[in-house]
Amino acid sequence: MSSSSLVGAEVTVVERIAEIRSLVTAARERGEIVGLVPTMGALHRGHLSLMDQARRECDLVVASIFVNPTQFGPSEDFARYPRNLATDLRLCGQAGVDVVFHPAASDVYPPGFATFVDVGGLAGVLEGAFRPGHFRGVATVVLKLFQMVPASIAYFGQKDYQQQTVIRRLARDLDLAIEIRTCPTIREPDGLALSSRNVYLNPQERQAARLLSESLHRAAQLVRDGADDLDRVREAMREVLRSSPLVQPDYATLVHPTTLEEVATPLPTLVALVAARVGTTRLIDNEVISLADPLNPP
Ligand code: AMP
């Protein structure tokens, strides 16, 4: 165990799997509620909002920082994914995180590693269709993190809507003894969802990137105004995205909130999801559209 105190608050850094497991197990045995915030580092206010929520609800807050190689495709940005441990540790300390778990890839995936988790249909659509194997890597590392850090509650962001859906399915299907919490998406003032990948955008691309959230707003507005042909809403979303030549849509759609199946006509709750390449950077975003009357829910 090492301790890092860089300006402000102090955070304990644990690299060894056996050490984090015994530290968390001892806390649970004392009756403490332990929160886990899994991240890949390059922390921003989105990650910090998850840590804040964990701090409010838990006695011990653990954040993991691990850039998981198995969730990146061979032509994706694993090697150049932003990494800045010193800044991340300072931010974790300021956010009130007690322990940062930062394992080595060679400990998470030792030689001979061969077991992967496959979450079936949910993992094959949308992001899964454009990033084959992505959710297999995500589900595998999340299940492993839950084993290494046997927390009471794990915190995920709505920003990665399909990811939290896949993880909820994983937790149910495999009877995992952990609660899954999903926290709201944190955005820039112009609507762009915060993402570690936003640093790749040049100023023109950064400007065009706001079209993702704009296309979601357009969908929400049309649905709330009574649009009943959702294919036309999808077309309107693509139109917003295509209003800049810098944006190449991968998908723009409306789905059922838990099955992620495309729907033809509105449901009380729908999720609009977009993925697009802005220059060479691939961004995703989503918005939950609820038509239910809050005073008279269905
Ligand atoms: P990552 O480091 O990208 O794997 O993200 C770690 C966690 O932070 C995931 O649960 C993400 O969904 C969440 N997250 C990322 N960006 C945001 C955001 N803008 N708002 C809220 N949560 C976020």
Side-chain angles (χ1 to χ4, degrees), residues 1 10 12 22 25 33 36 40 93 95 110 116 125 194 200 208-209 213 215 231 245 247 253 255 266 277 287:
M1 183 172 344
E10 178 153 317
T12 299
S22 64
T25 303
I33 298 174
L36 169 65
M40 298 204 299
F116 287 87
V125 298
L194 296 192
Y200 299 150
S213 64
S215 76
D231 278 337
V247 180
T253 193
V255 302
R277 280 157 293 128
E287 183 170 335

mmCIF file of all heavy atoms in Angstrom, residues 1 10 12 22 25 33 36 40 93 95 110 116 125 194 200 208-209 213 215 231 245 247 253 255 266 277 287:
data_model
loop_
_atom_site.group_PDB
_atom_site.id
_atom_site.type_symbol
_atom_site.label_atom_id
_atom_site.label_comp_id
_atom_site.label_asym_id
_atom_site.label_seq_id
_atom_site.Cartn_x
_atom_site.Cartn_y
_atom_site.Cartn_z
ATOM 1 N N MET A 1 0.865 -1.195 0.000
ATOM 2 C CA MET A 1 0.000 0.000 0.000
ATOM 3 C C MET A 1 0.899 1.241 0.000
ATOM 4 O O MET A 1 1.850 1.318 0.729
ATOM 5 C CB MET A 1 -0.869 -0.022 1.260
ATOM 6 C CG MET A 1 -1.822 1.125 1.296
ATOM 7 S SD MET A 1 -3.057 1.094 2.634
ATOM 8 C CE MET A 1 -3.099 -0.532 3.265
ATOM 9 N N GLU A 10 -5.505 13.484 0.919
ATOM 10 C CA GLU A 10 -4.645 12.304 0.810
ATOM 11 C C GLU A 10 -5.462 11.116 0.342
ATOM 12 O O GLU A 10 -6.606 10.948 0.730
ATOM 13 C CB GLU A 10 -4.045 12.012 2.178
ATOM 14 C CG GLU A 10 -3.190 10.787 2.178
ATOM 15 C CD GLU A 10 -2.125 10.848 3.264
ATOM 16 O OE1 GLU A 10 -1.506 11.906 3.450
ATOM 17 O OE2 GLU A 10 -1.937 9.813 3.917
ATOM 18 N N THR A 12 -5.112 6.794 -0.489
ATOM 19 C CA THR A 12 -4.272 5.595 -0.427
ATOM 20 C C THR A 12 -4.326 4.896 -1.766
ATOM 21 O O THR A 12 -5.399 4.751 -2.342
ATOM 22 C CB THR A 12 -4.821 4.660 0.676
ATOM 23 O OG1 THR A 12 -4.752 5.368 1.910
ATOM 24 C CG2 THR A 12 -4.041 3.371 0.773
ATOM 25 N N SER A 22 -8.562 -7.719 0.769
ATOM 26 C CA SER A 22 -8.631 -7.873 2.227
ATOM 27 C C SER A 22 -9.018 -6.549 2.890
ATOM 28 O O SER A 22 -9.750 -6.556 3.889
ATOM 29 C CB SER A 22 -7.341 -8.468 2.796
ATOM 30 O OG SER A 22 -6.291 -7.592 2.581
ATOM 31 N N THR A 25 -12.828 -6.344 2.310
ATOM 32 C CA THR A 25 -13.506 -7.385 3.086
ATOM 33 C C THR A 25 -13.536 -7.001 4.572
ATOM 34 O O THR A 25 -14.566 -7.143 5.242
ATOM 35 C CB THR A 25 -12.800 -8.744 2.896
ATOM 36 O OG1 THR A 25 -12.781 -9.026 1.495
ATOM 37 C CG2 THR A 25 -13.511 -9.867 3.628
ATOM 38 N N ILE A 33 -20.500 0.286 4.551
ATOM 39 C CA ILE A 33 -20.964 0.234 3.162
ATOM 40 C C ILE A 33 -19.799 0.696 2.292
ATOM 41 O O ILE A 33 -19.235 1.776 2.517
ATOM 42 C CB ILE A 33 -22.190 1.148 2.949
ATOM 43 C CG1 ILE A 33 -23.344 0.656 3.825
ATOM 44 C CG2 ILE A 33 -22.596 1.203 1.478
ATOM 45 C CD1 ILE A 33 -24.556 1.559 3.804
ATOM 46 N N LEU A 36 -17.794 1.375 -4.971
ATOM 47 C CA LEU A 36 -16.735 1.225 -5.977
ATOM 48 C C LEU A 36 -17.090 2.074 -7.198
ATOM 49 O O LEU A 36 -18.204 1.976 -7.736
ATOM 50 C CB LEU A 36 -16.614 -0.245 -6.412
ATOM 51 C CG LEU A 36 -15.723 -0.494 -7.647
ATOM 52 C CD1 LEU A 36 -14.270 -0.133 -7.366
ATOM 53 C CD2 LEU A 36 -15.827 -1.967 -8.089
ATOM 54 N N MET A 40 -11.375 4.417 -16.111
ATOM 55 C CA MET A 40 -10.134 4.197 -16.847
ATOM 56 C C MET A 40 -9.216 5.419 -16.697
ATOM 57 O O MET A 40 -8.296 5.615 -17.505
ATOM 58 C CB MET A 40 -10.425 3.921 -18.328
ATOM 59 C CG MET A 40 -11.266 2.657 -18.527
ATOM 60 S SD MET A 40 -11.067 1.916 -20.147
ATOM 61 C CE MET A 40 -11.643 3.228 -21.204
ATOM 62 N N GLY A 93 -8.421 12.426 -4.419
ATOM 63 C CA GLY A 93 -8.270 12.913 -3.037
ATOM 64 C C GLY A 93 -9.243 14.040 -2.764
ATOM 65 O O GLY A 93 -9.956 14.050 -1.752
ATOM 66 N N ALA A 95 -11.997 14.604 -4.225
ATOM 67 C CA ALA A 95 -13.392 14.130 -4.286
ATOM 68 C C ALA A 95 -13.757 13.283 -3.067
ATOM 69 O O ALA A 95 -14.882 12.802 -2.969
ATOM 70 C CB ALA A 95 -13.613 13.328 -5.570
ATOM 71 N N PRO A 110 -3.134 -12.266 -16.168
ATOM 72 C CA PRO A 110 -1.843 -12.970 -16.110
ATOM 73 C C PRO A 110 -1.698 -13.908 -17.312
ATOM 74 O O PRO A 110 -2.699 -14.238 -17.963
ATOM 75 C CB PRO A 110 -1.939 -13.763 -14.798
ATOM 76 C CG PRO A 110 -3.390 -13.872 -14.505
ATOM 77 C CD PRO A 110 -4.072 -12.697 -15.135
ATOM 78 N N PHE A 116 -13.760 -15.404 -20.406
ATOM 79 C CA PHE A 116 -14.433 -14.145 -20.717
ATOM 80 C C PHE A 116 -15.930 -14.265 -20.446
ATOM 81 O O PHE A 116 -16.494 -15.357 -20.503
ATOM 82 C CB PHE A 116 -14.203 -13.758 -22.181
ATOM 83 C CG PHE A 116 -12.805 -13.287 -22.438
ATOM 84 C CD1 PHE A 116 -11.795 -14.191 -22.750
ATOM 85 C CD2 PHE A 116 -12.493 -11.940 -22.349
ATOM 86 C CE1 PHE A 116 -10.495 -13.747 -22.977
ATOM 87 C CE2 PHE A 116 -11.198 -11.491 -22.573
ATOM 88 C CZ PHE A 116 -10.200 -12.399 -22.887
ATOM 89 N N VAL A 125 -25.675 -5.298 -29.986
ATOM 90 C CA VAL A 125 -26.301 -4.219 -30.762
ATOM 91 C C VAL A 125 -25.567 -2.892 -30.509
ATOM 92 O O VAL A 125 -24.670 -2.823 -29.670
ATOM 93 C CB VAL A 125 -27.806 -4.078 -30.399
ATOM 94 C CG1 VAL A 125 -28.549 -5.355 -30.747
ATOM 95 C CG2 VAL A 125 -27.984 -3.740 -28.911
ATOM 96 N N LEU A 194 -19.283 15.217 -21.096
ATOM 97 C CA LEU A 194 -17.857 15.101 -20.775
ATOM 98 C C LEU A 194 -17.387 13.691 -21.086
ATOM 99 O O LEU A 194 -18.090 12.715 -20.839
ATOM 100 C CB LEU A 194 -17.613 15.402 -19.298
ATOM 101 C CG LEU A 194 -17.927 16.800 -18.795
ATOM 102 C CD1 LEU A 194 -17.344 16.990 -17.403
ATOM 103 C CD2 LEU A 194 -17.398 17.868 -19.725
ATOM 104 N N TYR A 200 -9.135 14.719 -27.618
ATOM 105 C CA TYR A 200 -8.642 14.477 -28.987
ATOM 106 C C TYR A 200 -9.175 15.510 -29.987
ATOM 107 O O TYR A 200 -8.675 15.589 -31.112
ATOM 108 C CB TYR A 200 -9.117 13.114 -29.505
ATOM 109 C CG TYR A 200 -8.681 11.886 -28.740
ATOM 110 C CD1 TYR A 200 -9.507 10.757 -28.713
ATOM 111 C CD2 TYR A 200 -7.456 11.812 -28.087
ATOM 112 C CE1 TYR A 200 -9.129 9.595 -28.048
ATOM 113 C CE2 TYR A 200 -7.074 10.652 -27.417
ATOM 114 C CZ TYR A 200 -7.911 9.553 -27.401
ATOM 115 O OH TYR A 200 -7.539 8.406 -26.749
ATOM 116 N N ALA A 208 -18.216 21.188 -33.523
ATOM 117 C CA ALA A 208 -19.174 20.308 -34.207
ATOM 118 C C ALA A 208 -19.716 19.226 -33.262
ATOM 119 O O ALA A 208 -20.834 18.715 -33.465
ATOM 120 C CB ALA A 208 -18.507 19.652 -35.420
ATOM 121 N N ALA A 209 -18.947 18.886 -32.220
ATOM 122 C CA ALA A 209 -19.323 17.778 -31.335
ATOM 123 C C ALA A 209 -20.622 18.047 -30.575
ATOM 124 O O ALA A 209 -21.292 17.112 -30.123
ATOM 125 C CB ALA A 209 -18.188 17.486 -30.345
ATOM 126 N N SER A 213 -25.476 16.037 -28.806
ATOM 127 C CA SER A 213 -26.544 16.319 -27.821
ATOM 128 C C SER A 213 -27.694 17.061 -28.485
ATOM 129 O O SER A 213 -28.851 16.880 -28.099
ATOM 130 C CB SER A 213 -25.994 17.075 -26.616
ATOM 131 O OG SER A 213 -25.518 18.329 -27.000
ATOM 132 N N SER A 215 -28.832 16.518 -31.463
ATOM 133 C CA SER A 215 -29.693 15.538 -32.147
ATOM 134 C C SER A 215 -30.576 14.803 -31.123
ATOM 135 O O SER A 215 -31.729 14.463 -31.432
ATOM 136 C CB SER A 215 -28.864 14.555 -32.976
ATOM 137 O OG SER A 215 -28.251 13.624 -32.139
ATOM 138 N N ASP A 231 -39.243 6.314 -37.085
ATOM 139 C CA ASP A 231 -38.234 6.344 -38.151
ATOM 140 C C ASP A 231 -37.996 7.769 -38.628
ATOM 141 O O ASP A 231 -36.872 8.138 -38.979
ATOM 142 C CB ASP A 231 -38.634 5.438 -39.324
ATOM 143 C CG ASP A 231 -38.265 3.989 -39.033
ATOM 144 O OD1 ASP A 231 -37.353 3.777 -38.194
ATOM 145 O OD2 ASP A 231 -38.888 3.086 -39.619
ATOM 146 N N PRO A 245 -19.974 18.747 -41.853
ATOM 147 C CA PRO A 245 -19.229 17.729 -42.598
ATOM 148 C C PRO A 245 -18.194 17.013 -41.722
ATOM 149 O O PRO A 245 -17.662 15.970 -42.111
ATOM 150 C CB PRO A 245 -18.540 18.531 -43.712
ATOM 151 C CG PRO A 245 -18.502 19.946 -43.224
ATOM 152 C CD PRO A 245 -19.679 20.114 -42.297
ATOM 153 N N VAL A 247 -18.870 15.585 -38.946
ATOM 154 C CA VAL A 247 -19.539 14.540 -38.152
ATOM 155 C C VAL A 247 -20.026 13.410 -39.057
ATOM 156 O O VAL A 247 -20.770 13.640 -40.004
ATOM 157 C CB VAL A 247 -20.735 15.146 -37.366
ATOM 158 C CG1 VAL A 247 -21.440 14.069 -36.537
ATOM 159 C CG2 VAL A 247 -20.273 16.284 -36.472
ATOM 160 N N THR A 253 -30.643 6.534 -32.955
ATOM 161 C CA THR A 253 -31.838 5.698 -32.866
ATOM 162 C C THR A 253 -32.578 5.875 -31.541
ATOM 163 O O THR A 253 -32.106 6.556 -30.621
ATOM 164 C CB THR A 253 -31.448 4.215 -33.112
ATOM 165 O OG1 THR A 253 -32.639 3.458 -33.320
ATOM 166 C CG2 THR A 253 -30.645 3.634 -31.973
ATOM 167 N N VAL A 255 -34.637 3.455 -28.642
ATOM 168 C CA VAL A 255 -34.766 2.052 -28.233
ATOM 169 C C VAL A 255 -35.540 1.923 -26.922
ATOM 170 O O VAL A 255 -35.715 2.899 -26.189
ATOM 171 C CB VAL A 255 -33.373 1.380 -28.067
ATOM 172 C CG1 VAL A 255 -32.565 1.441 -29.360
ATOM 173 C CG2 VAL A 255 -32.591 1.990 -26.909
ATOM 174 N N PRO A 266 -43.879 5.308 -30.077
ATOM 175 C CA PRO A 266 -43.429 5.726 -28.745
ATOM 176 C C PRO A 266 -43.892 4.824 -27.595
ATOM 177 O O PRO A 266 -44.981 4.261 -27.635
ATOM 178 C CB PRO A 266 -44.024 7.131 -28.599
ATOM 179 C CG PRO A 266 -44.212 7.609 -29.989
ATOM 180 C CD PRO A 266 -44.565 6.400 -30.793
ATOM 181 N N ARG A 277 -18.524 9.693 -35.440
ATOM 182 C CA ARG A 277 -17.113 10.064 -35.484
ATOM 183 C C ARG A 277 -17.043 11.549 -35.797
ATOM 184 O O ARG A 277 -17.690 12.024 -36.727
ATOM 185 C CB ARG A 277 -16.380 9.238 -36.533
ATOM 186 C CG ARG A 277 -16.032 7.834 -36.003
ATOM 187 C CD ARG A 277 -15.825 6.821 -37.084
ATOM 188 N NE ARG A 277 -17.072 6.549 -37.780
ATOM 189 C CZ ARG A 277 -17.224 6.593 -39.104
ATOM 190 N NH1 ARG A 277 -16.213 6.882 -39.883
ATOM 191 N NH2 ARG A 277 -18.402 6.332 -39.659
ATOM 192 N N GLU A 287 -30.055 10.170 -24.386
ATOM 193 C CA GLU A 287 -31.012 10.896 -23.538
ATOM 194 C C GLU A 287 -32.210 9.991 -23.288
ATOM 195 O O GLU A 287 -32.734 9.388 -24.230
ATOM 196 C CB GLU A 287 -31.441 12.190 -24.251
ATOM 197 C CG GLU A 287 -32.380 13.030 -23.412
ATOM 198 C CD GLU A 287 -32.616 14.436 -23.999
ATOM 199 O OE1 GLU A 287 -31.752 14.945 -24.740
ATOM 200 O OE2 GLU A 287 -33.692 14.994 -23.717
#
